[in-house]
Amino acid sequence: MTGRDAARGEKGPTALARWVTGLFAPQVLVIVLPPAVGLVADGWPGAGWGLVASALCGGIPAGVILAGVRSGRLDSHHLVDRASRTRPLLVAVMAVLVTLVLLASLGAPRLLVATVTAMLAALALTVPITLRWKISFHAAVSAGTVVVLAEVLPAAPTLVAGMLIVATVCWARVRLRHHTPAQVAAGAVAGAGSAWAALSAFGL
């Protein structure tokens, strides 16, 4: 039985954990968040800027990961094996950095620039850590996303719902034995803290 066949046969909590892991994967959140922020910040023109950010920040790393999975160099698009994370993450750092320079220089909405800055700050904090210890990127990106969304949506309900989602993501990663409780907790703190710091630097 292949790993895919085994996954199809899963039921109950493990199947739910795998579904949560896929739905709230870092690539998914990084692609979805910028257009939403851009739309709130500057209407449809802002959403257009957000799509540019999605294509660069999310699309390029996702493409590299997909190519790695198809070639057998990577275990899955979740990068379960810590040793295989270095190249895709460096690509992500470069993509986000280029996006930030592009958006800032061409006059994209300030809130969107702050959002991409938060992405870069999270990577700057978590990438060095993951070279030695498997910090959870699922937890980091989901927590950072909640902090950003709390800036553009009603803060209290967004934070309450967001914390429940982040807790569920953390549970899923531990349930699948891809991370320890300490690794998901560290990821959540790193993601939320770096997003808050980036937004604060922009006066938001």
Side-chain angles (χ1 to χ4, degrees):
M1 179 181 292
T2 65
R4 182 174 295 178
D5 291 335
R8 287 174 179 170
E10 291 172 344
K11 296 180 180 180
T14 301
L16 176 61
R18 200 171 296 281
W19 180 82
V20 169
T21 285
L23 181 63
F24 296 101
Q27 301 98 314
V28 174
L29 296 179
V30 169
I31 289 172
V32 171
L33 181 62
V37 171
L39 181 63
V40 173
D42 197 33
W44 291 113
W49 281 111
L51 289 173
V52 172
S54 291
L56 295 176
C57 294
I60 291 176
V64 169
I65 292 172
L66 179 60
V69 171
R70 288 183 172 177
S71 68
R73 294 193 307 272
L74 300 176
D75 51 45
S76 77
H77 65 281
H78 296 304
L79 303 179
V80 176
D81 179 15
R82 182 178 62 83
S84 68
R85 290 178 162 190
T86 303
R87 182 182 177 187
L89 289 176
L90 290 178
V91 170
V93 170
M94 291 304 301
V96 173
L97 183 58
V98 169
T99 304
L100 180 58
V101 172
L102 181 66
L103 295 184
S105 61
L106 294 181
R110 184 163 171 261
L111 181 57
L112 184 58
V113 175
T115 299
V116 176
T117 301
M119 294 180 185
L120 185 61
L123 286 169
L125 181 59
T126 56
V127 170
I129 294 174
T130 202
L131 296 178
R132 292 185 173 273
W133 189 61
K134 195 181 174 186
I135 192 170
S136 173
F137 282 94
H138 275 74
V141 176
S142 61
T145 298
V146 170
V147 172
V148 172
L149 288 178
E151 184 64 36
V152 300
L153 299 174
T158 300
L159 288 173
V160 171
M163 285 190 291
L164 291 175
I165 291 172
V166 172
T168 303
V169 170
C170 291
W171 165 82
R173 302 306 287 158
V174 174
R175 173 74 190 189
L176 295 175
R177 298 182 180 178
H178 292 169
H179 290 285
T180 65
Q183 289 166 345
V184 295
V189 170
S194 57
W196 177 82
L199 295 178
S200 296
F202 279 79
L204 300 172

